[in-house]
Amino acid sequence: MRANTWAGRNKVEVRDVPDPRILNSRDAIVRITSTAICGSDLHLVDGYIPTMQDGDVLGHEFMGEVVEVGSGVSTDKLRVGDRVVVPFPIACGACAACAAELYSCCENTNPNAGIAEKMFGHPVAGIFGYSHLTGGFAGGQAQYARVPFADVGPLKIDSDLSDEQVLFLSDILPTGFMGAEMCDIQPSDVVAVWGAGPVGQFAMDSARILGAAKVIAIDKEPYRLRMAEKAGHTPVNFEEVDVRSTLLELTGGRGPDKCIDAVGMEATHGSVHLAAYDRVKQAVRSETERPHALRQAIMSCRSGGVVSVIGVYGGLMDKFPAGAWMNRSLTLRTGQCHVQRYMKPLLQRIERGEIDPTRIITHTLPLDQAEHGFDIFKNKQDNCEKIVLKP
């Protein structure tokens, strides 16, 4: 089959790779009809997530048709011919973490738990297409994928909704929603979101759905800010204004009630000097993160507010503002999204017309053009916000 693979730092390559096969009785094989390029894929390509190997199949946002089911999967759960969306964290459904609906912390699905434990203190769940640190599972930017624990993860789509309407239930829509949900939004709240990429856009939409009085979008790309403004959010371009000062002006001097970091480890900054400082430190591996967005969110949030972090971080950062966090009674909440918890409720919101996931799609490409897709997505060319790949 054809699949998009990691071919070294700053390089992907669509290659012929072996077809997946059933390895465990709870596996299923899915013929992929739609997949996507995610912002966190760029962390892999840019070389900031360790343990990637040449030939690893990328991609953790995918859906398609079940073509084979292991003997241990009940037909009540999944059958050949079912149309499914596959969540990016692989969860067993039986451990203490899964029982608490903390699916991205599953204790049983990462065969390389020892590596993750050394990195994070405790192991994390297996993740499709996201390095050997999270299990080395082949991803979904391919014609077919093996789905472990298929009786737990995949969500059946029985309606006639298009792939584009439901594909992002695999990751970025639940991630954005969880980012807003962790804020405990009240009707009077002003919510500021750092990053107007796909996850940030969905965090903004989710904050609105959950009742925020105002949602502020912070980014530097005019086309992303226009997209956010069209959806009803207030744009702030950090290359044109001082973010903290602007947020104080927009909130009567108090700062946003809730702040969401939807950027993560490769954040940029409006100040050339500040941006260069962390970029150099990251390049020489003296820190793994560029935490501009997180630092700014903590310093900008009103005292007693909540900072919700859904941007991906992988290791260690410099100059974390612990004093501001502790002395001003800020609550910091974070986590890889527990996607399985949110898939059905968000599907219902899509069906009711409360949210339109298709609004962020700017490009649809065949799988064989994945390399071009990564190039324009990474470099923000051609107003590229979100790319859907068709195998």
Side-chain angles (χ1 to χ4, degrees):
M1 70 171 184
R2 301 286 282 170
N4 187 42
T5 64
W6 191 83
R9 191 177 178 191
N10 295 318
K11 186 177 181 182
V12 300
E13 187 175 302
V14 179
R15 302 171 176 171
D16 291 318
V17 302
D19 291 351
R21 56 190 179 87
I22 297 287
L23 299 179
N24 183 284
S25 64
R26 294 175 68 185
D27 288 351
I29 304 298
V30 173
R31 179 182 64 82
I32 297 169
T33 56
S34 294
T35 182
I37 299 172
C38 182
S40 54
D41 289 332
L42 299 181
H43 304 324
L44 302 175
V45 175
D46 292 346
Y48 296 124
I49 302 293
T51 72
M52 290 297 293
Q53 297 177 12
D54 186 29
D56 285 347
V57 178
L58 297 170
H60 55 270
E61 299 178 354
F62 62 97
M63 65 174 295
E65 179 187 349
V66 177
V67 295
E68 189 176 355
V69 177
S71 60
V73 179
S74 168
T75 55
D76 293 337
K77 296 284 188 179
L78 206 64
R79 300 184 180 191
V80 171
D82 283 344
R83 183 175 177 233
V84 296
V85 179
V86 180
F88 80 81
I90 303 169
C92 73
C95 67
C98 288
E101 295 190 314
L102 302 174
Y103 297 104
S104 70
C105 299
C106 178
E107 299 165 350
N108 292 326
T109 57
N110 186 348
N112 296 329
I115 300 175
E117 187 173 354
K118 290 177 182 177
M119 190 77 175
F120 303 132
H122 293 273
V124 295
I127 296 177
F128 290 102
Y130 215 78
S131 85
H132 295 264
L133 182 68
T134 58
F137 293 95
Q141 290 171 10
Q143 292 177 305
Y144 294 88
R146 169 183 167 247
V147 178
F149 297 97
D151 51 344
V152 175
L155 173 69
K156 287 193 287 186
I157 305 296
D158 294 320
S159 65
D160 59 356
L161 292 171
S162 68
D163 278 16
E164 287 72 16
Q165 288 175 288
V166 297
L167 171 61
F168 303 137
L169 289 169
S170 60
D171 175 7
I172 57 173
L173 179 53
T175 297
F177 188 88
M178 184 172 122
E181 184 185 67
M182 288 191 295
C183 288
D184 291 334
I185 292 170
Q186 304 302 310
S188 62
D189 280 350
V190 176
V191 179
V193 180
W194 274 256
V199 170
Q201 298 282 347
F202 285 149
M204 296 172 211
D205 292 350
S206 299
R208 181 193 65 231
I209 288 171
L210 293 175
K214 177 184 283 188
V215 180
I216 300 170
I218 302 164
D219 206 291
K220 68 170 183 173
E221 300 298 330
Y223 71 91
R224 287 179 160 188
L225 292 170
R226 285 194 299 269
M227 181 177 286
E229 187 173 25
K230 186 176 179 181
H233 313 307
T234 302
V236 171
N237 189 323
F238 68 74
E239 288 195 330
E240 297 177 354
V241 298
D242 178 75
V243 171
R244 183 176 174 276
S245 299
T246 302
L247 292 176
L248 290 174
E249 291 174 7
L250 291 170
T251 58
R254 296 175 67 237
D257 301 282
K258 311 293 166 61
C259 296
I260 300 174
D261 170 7
V263 182
M265 67 170 65
E266 292 187 77
T268 56
H269 194 283
S271 165
V272 173
H273 302 295
L274 288 174
Y277 172 83
D278 272 320
R279 192 173 186 90
V280 169
K281 291 202 71 172
Q282 189 185 50
V284 299
R285 300 302 190 267
S286 61
E287 66 174 345
T288 56
E289 330 293 319
R290 297 203 300 266
H292 305 305
L294 180 56
R295 282 196 293 245
Q296 200 170 69
I298 290 173
M299 298 300 291
S300 300
C301 190
R302 72 156 169 84
S303 295
V306 175
V307 177
S308 171
V309 184
I310 49 176
V312 173
Y313 291 92
L316 303 171
M317 67 175 63
D318 190 15
K319 294 181 171 56
F320 177 82
W325 169 45
M326 182 269 168
N327 285 289
R328 295 198 296 110
S329 300
L330 297 179
T331 298
L332 188 64
R333 292 178 176 166
T334 188
Q336 286 280 8
C337 185
H338 311 299
V339 176
Q340 290 87 336
R341 183 199 302 178
Y342 298 101
M343 294 177 84
K344 286 183 180 179
L346 286 173
L347 175 61
Q348 292 168 357
R349 288 185 183 272
I350 294 169
E351 291 172 337
R352 292 195 298 264
E354 296 177 14
I355 192 164
D356 176 20
T358 66
R359 78 172 184 85
I360 68 165
I361 300 172
T362 54
H363 295 71
T364 301
L365 300 173
L367 177 64
D368 278 338
Q369 291 186 24
E371 185 173 354
H372 170 64
F374 267 82
D375 184 50
I376 62 172
F377 184 50
K378 175 180 176 178
N379 295 301
K380 299 178 178 63
Q381 298 171 350
D382 195 28
N383 291 348
C384 181
E385 178 77 0
K386 186 66 175 180
I387 299 174
V388 174
L389 300 173
K390 298 289 186 177

